[in-house]
Amino acid sequence: TTAAVDGLNPALKVAFKSGTVMGLTVVGFGILGLSVNLTIFLDPVVLAGFGFGASSIALFARVGGGIFTKAADVGADLCGKVALDLNEDDPSNPAVIADNVGDNVGDVAGMGADLFESYVGSIIACFTLGVNKANGNDDLVTAYIIYPFIIAGGGILCSIIGTFFVSVKEGGKMNDLLWALRRGLIVASVLVIILTITTSYVIADLGYWTAEEGLDLFGCVVTGLVAGLIIGFATEYCTSFEYNPTISIAHSGLHGHAPVIIQGMGVGMLSTVVPVIVVVVGILICTSLAGLYGVAIAGVGMLSTLGITLATDAYGPVADNAGGIAEMAELPKHVRENTDALDALGNTTAATGKGFAIGSAVLTAVALMASFIMTSRIRGPIDIMDHVVIPGLLVGAMLPFVFAALTMLSVRRGAHAIMDEVKRQFKVREEAFKTDGNYDNWSPDNKGCVSIATKAAVLEMIIPGAMAVLVPVAMGFLLGAKALAGLLVGAIASGFLLAVTMANAGGAWDNAKKYVESGAIAGHGKKSDLHKATVTGDTVGDPFKDTSGPSLNILIKLMSIVSLVFAPIFPAEPYVQWVPAVIILLFLGLVSLFVGMRISSGSSKHEVPGGKQIELH
C-alpha cells in the first residue's frame, strides 16, 4: 500500500517480491525434504510416504483454506455490496478482515501446498519409474534419480534470475503488466532449457547413458516446459479482460444476471480444449521419447520454474489486501487505482497459476498412476473390457463431482453464517445510533466472522478429505488393483476437465466485474444494473475458482499417491479381501453421518460472541 502511493512499478515490485518468497520457499523445502529422505532411507520407493504426507497437508491447506476464504469473501460481498449497499472493503463490514485473512489462507498457503505436492510428487514418480526403466543397471538408476534433482534444483536458480526481469513503466496498462510477468517467466524457462541440455550431455559424457538417450530426456523436459507455458497463455486468454471471452461475459450482463452465468459457464467449458490437447500431445511425445519416465520428467520440467510461476500467483493476494488497506485508510484515489490494476492482474495470474497447477497435477497423477501399476500385483496389460475396470472408471469419474459439490455447499453454509453474523452486528450498530446519535461507541467485531469461517473450514473439510483417502483403499481391497487403476483413470479425466472449467469460469467472471468497474462500458460503472449482474457472476465464481476447482488437483494427486503407498497389499483379483473394504466403507459412512449431523445442527443456529444464539433463515 505504501509503495502504491509512489507509483505502479514500486507497488508491483513489493508485491512480486512477497510472492517470490513464497515460491522459493516451496521449491527449497521440496528439494530439502526429498534430499534428506533419500539420504536416510536410500530407497526411492520409500519416498512415496513423503509424498503422502505432502498430499495430506495440501488437502488441509487447499480445501480447508478454500472454504475459509470463499465463505468469508462471499459472505462479505453479499452482505456488504448487496444487502447493505456498502463499498468493497468498507471498514464497517465485520467480514472484511475475515476476507483479507482468507486471501492468505486460501490463495497463498493453499496454492503453495498444492504445488508443493505436485513438485515433490513429480520427482517421486521419476524415482519409481526410473528404477523400473533402468532394469537393474546401477548407472542408469543413479542417472535417472540425479537428473530430476538437477533440473529441479537448477530451476530454482533460473527462477531467481528471472525475477530480476519483472518491472513495468509508470502508467502501464493491463497488457504492460502481463508482459512484465511474462518476461520473467520466459527468461527463467530459457535458462532451464540451457541447463537441461547441458546436464543431459554431461551425464552422457560421464558414461551413465548415451547421448541419444540424454537428448530424448531433454526433449521431454522441454515438452513439459512448453506445455506449461501454453496452458498458462491459454488460461490468460480466457480470463483476462484484455481479450474477448471475458469482455463477452461483461457485455452479456446488459441483458440481466442469468446471461452472465450462462456466458461464463460456456467460456469455462470451452477453455478445456487447449489444456487437454496440450497435455495429450505432451504425453504422446514423452512416451514416444522415453516411455512413462518421460511423462514424469516432463512434469518436473513443467514445475522447474515453479519458483517464479508461484510468485506470479502468490503476489495477487498481496495486491488485493493492499487495495483493502487503501480503502479502509481512505488514501488518495490514485493509490486505489494502482492497487486495483495490480489486483486485476492478480486475478488473471491467479487463473493462470491454477491452469498451470491443474496441468502439472494431471502429469504428476498420470506418472504416479503408472508407478502404482508397476508397484502393484498387476501382471501384464490391463484389459479395458475386464469386468471390474469399467465400474472402477465410472466410480472414479463420479468422485470429482461429489468432491466439488461438497466444497461448494460448504462455502454456501459458511457464507450464510457470516452474513447472519454481519446482519446481527449491524442491528447492534443501529441500536447504538438510536441511543447515542452516532456510531462512535460501536466498532465491528472482526473476530466473530474469522471464528465462524475457521470453524466452517475445519468441520466441512472432513468428509471430502476422508473420501479422497478411503475410497481408493476400499476399491483396491474390494475389486482389486485393476479396478483401482480404472478408478484413477476416471478421476484424472473428469477431474481435469471439471477443474479447468471451474477455475477458468470463476476467473473470467471475476475479471468481467473488474472490466465493468474500470468504466470500460460507458454509462455502466459501479452500482449500475450491469455491475450488479457481474457481481452475481463474481460471487458464483468465487467458490468455483478458489475452492472447488483447485481442490480437484489435490483429489487426483492424493488418490494416486494413496494408491501407490498401498499398492503392494492390494490383491490382483476382485473380492479376495472384501472384509477390509467393508470396514473402511462403514467407517467412511459413520464419519459422514457424524459430521453431517454436526453440520445440520449448525445450519439452524450458530454461536456468536456473548454466548447468544441467532436463528438462521
Side-chain angles (χ1 to χ4, degrees):
T1 307
T2 304
V5 175
D6 299 327
L8 186 62
N9 190 51
L12 173 64
K13 284 186 173 295
V14 170
F16 186 75
K17 286 176 182 177
S18 301
T20 302
V21 171
M22 179 65 190
L24 295 178
T25 300
V26 166
V27 294
F29 274 109
I31 291 292
L32 177 64
L34 288 169
S35 302
V36 170
N37 276 272
L38 189 61
T39 302
I40 293 173
F41 297 108
L42 299 176
D43 184 359
V45 178
V46 175
L47 291 180
F50 181 79
F52 183 42
S55 298
S56 301
I57 199 64
L59 177 76
F60 178 83
R62 176 53 103 181
V63 179
I67 293 171
F68 181 105
T69 183
K70 289 303 112 176
D73 192 359
V74 172
D77 284 350
L78 289 179
C79 228
K81 296 179 184 176
V82 180
L84 302 172
D85 198 29
L86 301 174
N87 291 325
E88 186 171 7
D89 297 317
D90 190 308
S92 64
N93 187 344
V96 164
I97 297 299
D99 182 13
N100 291 340
V101 172
D103 288 336
N104 297 294
V105 173
D107 296 338
V108 179
M111 176 62 85
D114 181 358
L115 286 169
F116 177 83
E117 179 196 19
S118 290
Y119 191 70
V120 300
S122 62
I123 297 175
I124 290 168
C126 283
F127 292 167
T128 307
L129 295 171
V131 171
N132 184 273
K133 182 178 172 63
N135 201 24
N137 187 319
D138 291 339
D139 287 342
L140 282 178
V141 169
T142 302
Y144 289 150
I145 291 176
I146 290 176
Y147 193 63
F149 261 116
I150 296 175
I151 303 303
I156 297 176
L157 297 177
C158 297
S159 296
I160 292 173
I161 295 172
T163 60
F164 292 107
F165 290 83
V166 177
S167 62
V168 66
K169 61 184 179 182
E170 284 303 321
K173 297 183 178 179
M174 175 62 73
N175 195 53
D176 299 318
L177 289 168
L178 285 171
W179 271 105
L181 299 182
R182 284 176 186 163
R183 191 162 49 245
L185 184 58
I186 291 171
V187 168
S189 299
V190 171
L191 292 175
V192 167
I193 290 174
I194 296 172
L195 167 72
T196 304
I197 188 67
T198 304
T199 302
S200 298
Y201 277 114
V202 167
I203 293 177
D205 288 341
L206 294 174
Y208 287 97
W209 59 38
T210 64
E212 182 180 355
E213 187 171 9
L215 196 59
D216 287 343
L217 292 175
F218 165 72
C220 294
V221 173
V222 173
T223 299
L225 264 176
V226 173
L229 290 173
I230 294 175
I231 290 173
F233 292 151
T235 305
E236 179 184 303
Y237 173 78
C238 291
T239 57
S240 171
F241 61 57
E242 288 287 304
Y243 305 107
N244 185 62
T246 298
I247 295 175
S248 71
I249 295 174
H251 282 281
S252 69
L254 293 169
H255 302 285
H257 295 240
V260 172
I261 304 300
I262 295 169
Q263 186 74 10
M265 286 299 299
V267 168
M269 291 177 181
L270 283 174
S271 70
T272 62
V273 175
V274 173
V276 169
I277 291 175
V278 168
V279 170
V280 166
V281 171
I283 290 174
L284 292 174
I285 291 173
C286 293
T287 50
S288 65
L289 290 174
L292 291 170
Y293 179 80
V295 176
I297 206 68
V300 174
M302 183 181 288
L303 292 163
S304 60
T305 57
L306 181 59
I308 189 170
T309 305
L310 186 53
T312 62
D313 183 27
Y315 106 95
V318 178
D320 189 4
N321 283 352
I325 294 171
E327 179 74 24
M328 290 184 278
E330 299 181 354
L331 294 178
K333 184 180 178 181
H334 78 278
V335 178
R336 184 70 202 229
E337 289 175 351
N338 287 336
T339 59
D340 280 350
L342 294 178
D343 185 22
L345 174 66
N347 288 333
T348 301
T349 57
T352 302
K354 291 179 180 71
F356 177 83
I358 294 165
S360 63
V362 172
L363 285 180
T364 301
V366 169
L368 290 171
M369 181 184 66
S371 300
F372 155 72
I373 293 173
M374 291 179 180
T375 309
S376 70
R377 299 179 184 179
I378 298 174
R379 296 295 176 263
I382 299 174
D383 184 0
I384 194 172
M385 295 308 295
D386 191 297
H387 69 288
V388 298
V389 174
I390 295 296
L393 190 149
L394 292 174
V395 171
M398 172 197 71
L399 290 176
F401 288 89
V402 176
F403 195 87
L406 290 172
T407 51
M408 290 279 286
L409 294 172
S410 299
V411 170
R412 195 274 302 166
R413 284 188 288 265
H416 279 193
I418 287 177
M419 287 174 65
D420 283 312
E421 170 65 10
V422 172
K423 290 177 181 178
R424 183 197 70 81
Q425 291 195 34
F426 264 78
K427 286 181 182 178
V428 175
R429 182 176 185 258
E430 294 307 313
E431 291 172 0
F433 182 80
K434 290 177 182 178
T435 303
D436 304 330
N438 56 59
Y439 299 119
D440 294 344
N441 294 324
W442 180 89
S443 61
D445 179 15
N446 302 308
K447 292 181 180 179
C449 291
V450 172
S451 176
I452 290 170
T454 302
K455 291 176 181 177
V458 172
L459 183 63
E460 299 271 8
M461 66 169 286
I462 294 175
I463 296 177
M467 184 186 75
V469 174
L470 298 179
V471 170
V473 179
M475 178 65 76
F477 281 124
L478 182 63
L479 296 181
K482 293 180 182 178
L484 181 52
L487 181 145
L488 295 178
V489 171
I492 291 170
S494 72
F496 181 22
L497 296 174
L498 188 60
V500 172
T501 297
M502 298 184 84
N504 288 350
W509 275 321
D510 194 348
N511 273 343
K513 181 198 71 173
K514 288 284 194 299
Y515 182 74
V516 174
E517 290 176 345
S518 69
I521 302 178
H524 298 280
K526 286 187 176 182
K527 298 190 177 181
S528 65
D529 289 340
L530 173 59
H531 182 241
K532 291 176 181 177
T534 55
V535 166
T536 298
D538 176 38
T539 306
V540 173
D542 276 337
F544 266 52
K545 67 183 175 67
D546 290 323
T547 306
S548 300
S551 296
L552 295 174
N553 303 343
I554 309 296
L555 177 69
I556 61 176
K557 290 181 293 185
L558 181 56
M559 291 198 299
S560 299
I561 198 74
V562 167
S563 301
L564 176 59
V565 169
F566 291 97
I569 65 174
F570 290 141
E573 300 300 325
Y575 313 121
V576 175
Q577 298 182 26
W578 61 270
V579 174
V582 172
I583 294 173
I584 291 169
L585 292 175
L586 285 174
F587 176 75
L588 178 59
L590 290 173
V591 169
S592 301
L593 180 63
F594 174 75
V595 174
M597 291 173 63
R598 288 287 303 273
I599 292 172
S600 297
S601 65
S603 64
S604 60
K605 59 186 178 181
H606 68 278
E607 294 184 1
V608 296
K612 298 180 180 178
Q613 293 182 328
I614 300 298
E615 294 295 320
L616 300 187
H617 304 285

